[in-house]
Amino acid sequence: ENARNQAVAAEALRLAEEEERPCFTALYESRHGKEPPAIFEGSFEEALAAAKFQHRLLLVWLLGEGAENDLLCQEVLNGEIFGAFLAEYFVFWPGDAERWLLPKRLRELLRVESLPALLVLQPLNVFEAEVMPWGDPRAGAPVEFPANSAWALQGCWLGPPDEEGLMGFLAEHGDRAAEQERRREEERKQAGERAAAARALRQQQDREYEEGLQRDQEREATVAEARNRLAAQEEASRTRRAKDEAEAKARDEREACRALAAHRRGLADGLLAAAELPAGHGSTSEICRLVLRLPDGQRAERRFAADALLESVYAWAECCGELSELEGSGRFDIPRSFTLATTYPRAALLDRTRSLRELQLLPNAVLALCPDDE
């Protein structure tokens, strides 16, 4: 019951965030009479990705409904100095930590005691961040929250709406991040120079190798030419043999096809000459009506005596295409080798010495014809 209530509450917070976030700018302006500072209007994950792409910090504003939040907006957030800090160092993302799901969970994760609060987050690469389960996020340990989004807390401001103190807090973290980015850029530059030098050396080595290889190839050209002529002669001989073998195999295949066709035609002639059990013959318990379903969708139908063996059904299935042609309904192809199976439940019928009664196919059944080569 407690878990269900928590799930209902979480869903309510998620829906509130989904509905109110797109209107945050208008709500801010309506409440405070001014446009908000330059905020990021997407989700937390999108804001984190944007900050990482722009080599900036993510400044998260966890807001509430108290008077201190209104005072923060009036005295600090609407100021030009705050806007200048945002433009230089930060991507700014607001979240109602009392009414929206993700900001509320972020507050719980970092155990933020009071609102409003400003969090400075350093975006991290989720594949490179070393997230330790026992790490303390408040101490700057890397965090993966939500899934596939990694960051580290650099600082948290919980003080009163003091513009001077807050600007000092932002300047400290902004300048530190800018210096770290400058160092990373210098390291990337040095790494690029080392890579360029290594590439030039490798290219020189590759040229020397190619020149030596060309000389070796020229020395081997005469031997290779003679070897190729001999290989061509052997290949021609193999080709002739393969052609002869293929023609012989094709002849054997044609003969086998003609023999199979003659065999099936003979079976069809025999079944056509033998009268099929009429629809009204005997009781329904003594007659088995079988419908054969082929892989291409074709169907064939025939009635058998209840004690007929499965072997007779296989014989009919083998020649039912020819039998259909003899009966004037058009011929269809039957695979050379196949197995009959019941359709539901699926079961192969392999013992041809059993009767249809023993196989429990009475009074009617649908059989599938399954090619063995599949």
Side-chain angles (χ1 to χ4, degrees):
E1 182 67 25
N2 187 37
R4 185 171 61 183
N5 291 339
Q6 290 178 356
V8 171
E11 179 63 14
L13 293 171
R14 187 190 66 79
L15 292 175
E17 181 173 3
E18 186 177 286
E19 294 175 0
E20 296 176 8
R21 179 170 293 284
C23 310
F24 182 81
T25 299
L27 294 173
Y28 184 100
E29 187 174 356
S30 173
R31 181 164 184 167
H32 301 291
K34 293 183 180 181
E35 293 184 0
I39 65 171
F40 187 89
E41 298 183 351
S43 66
F44 176 79
E45 297 93 322
E46 293 169 341
L48 198 65
K52 186 175 185 302
F53 178 77
Q54 299 173 24
H55 302 291
R56 294 186 175 200
L57 297 172
L58 179 61
L59 183 62
V60 176
W61 172 27
L62 295 181
L63 57 101
E65 295 294 334
E68 285 194 355
N69 192 76
D70 294 335
L71 192 61
L72 174 67
C73 296
Q74 296 167 6
E75 296 189 1
V76 179
L77 302 189
N78 290 330
E80 294 182 1
I81 300 177
F82 182 78
F85 272 105
L86 291 186
E88 185 171 358
Y89 297 122
F90 301 100
V91 170
F92 188 43
W93 186 81
D96 192 327
E98 295 177 345
R99 295 174 43 80
W100 296 357
L101 180 60
L102 193 141
K104 180 177 177 62
R105 288 183 172 175
L106 188 62
R107 178 186 181 183
E108 293 171 353
L109 175 67
L110 297 175
R111 299 195 288 278
V112 176
E113 298 177 354
S114 62
L115 298 176
L118 290 173
L119 311 176
V120 177
L121 306 184
Q122 175 66 58
L124 302 175
N125 189 323
V126 71
F127 299 106
E128 298 176 356
E130 192 172 349
V131 179
M132 299 297 183
W134 57 82
D136 184 2
R138 296 180 304 171
V143 178
E144 184 178 352
F145 173 82
N148 300 322
S149 298
W151 47 270
L153 179 68
Q154 301 296 298
C156 177
W157 182 84
L158 298 173
D162 171 29
E163 182 176 20
E164 182 177 351
L166 179 55
M167 293 308 106
F169 169 80
L170 296 179
E172 176 187 355
H173 291 287
D175 291 342
R176 183 187 305 160
E179 177 61 21
Q180 291 174 349
E181 180 59 28
R182 187 193 65 77
R183 291 178 182 174
R184 284 193 292 269
E185 182 61 30
E186 182 63 26
E187 291 174 357
R188 285 193 292 267
K189 181 180 178 182
Q190 294 175 359
E193 293 174 350
R194 290 193 297 270
R199 186 166 52 251
L201 177 60
R202 187 168 57 252
Q203 289 173 349
Q204 180 182 354
Q205 293 171 341
D206 290 343
R207 283 194 300 271
E208 294 174 354
Y209 172 78
E210 290 295 335
E211 292 171 356
L213 181 62
Q214 184 177 358
R215 289 192 296 270
D216 293 340
Q217 290 172 344
E218 290 173 354
R219 284 193 298 267
E220 295 177 358
T222 303
V223 176
E225 184 178 357
R227 189 178 300 153
N228 290 339
R229 283 197 302 269
L230 179 59
Q233 294 171 358
E234 293 176 350
E235 180 64 25
S237 178
R238 285 194 297 269
T239 301
R240 286 194 300 272
R241 288 196 301 270
K243 181 179 179 182
D244 294 341
E245 292 172 358
E247 290 176 351
K249 184 177 180 180
R251 285 195 302 271
D252 294 342
E253 182 69 19
R254 288 193 296 270
E255 288 298 328
C257 289
R258 282 195 290 267
L260 180 62
H263 170 67
R264 290 182 172 179
R265 185 58 178 260
L267 290 176
D269 289 337
L271 288 176
L272 186 64
E276 181 183 5
L277 292 177
H281 176 78
S283 66
T284 56
S285 63
E286 299 302 318
I287 295 177
C288 179
R289 175 179 170 271
L290 295 181
V291 175
L292 183 64
R293 190 177 66 194
L294 277 69
D296 61 359
Q298 283 279 359
R299 287 174 177 264
E301 180 180 338
R302 191 172 179 85
R303 289 183 295 277
F304 293 85
D307 293 318
L309 299 182
L310 180 62
E311 178 65 38
S312 63
V313 179
Y314 266 90
W316 163 64
E318 186 174 359
C319 69
C320 62
E322 285 77 3
L323 184 60
S324 176
E325 181 181 21
L326 293 175
E327 293 173 343
S329 300
R331 182 181 179 279
F332 48 86
D333 293 329
I334 301 296
R336 177 175 298 182
S337 177
F338 60 87
T339 300
L340 298 181
T342 56
T343 56
Y344 186 82
R346 192 77 167 189
L349 302 175
L350 302 177
D351 188 353
R352 302 190 183 190
T353 63
R354 300 183 67 185
S355 69
L356 304 185
R357 189 193 306 277
E358 292 172 336
L359 293 170
Q360 300 182 3
L361 299 178
L362 304 185
N364 53 65
V366 177
L367 301 182
L369 188 147
C370 309
D372 288 343
D373 57 355
E374 295 182 355

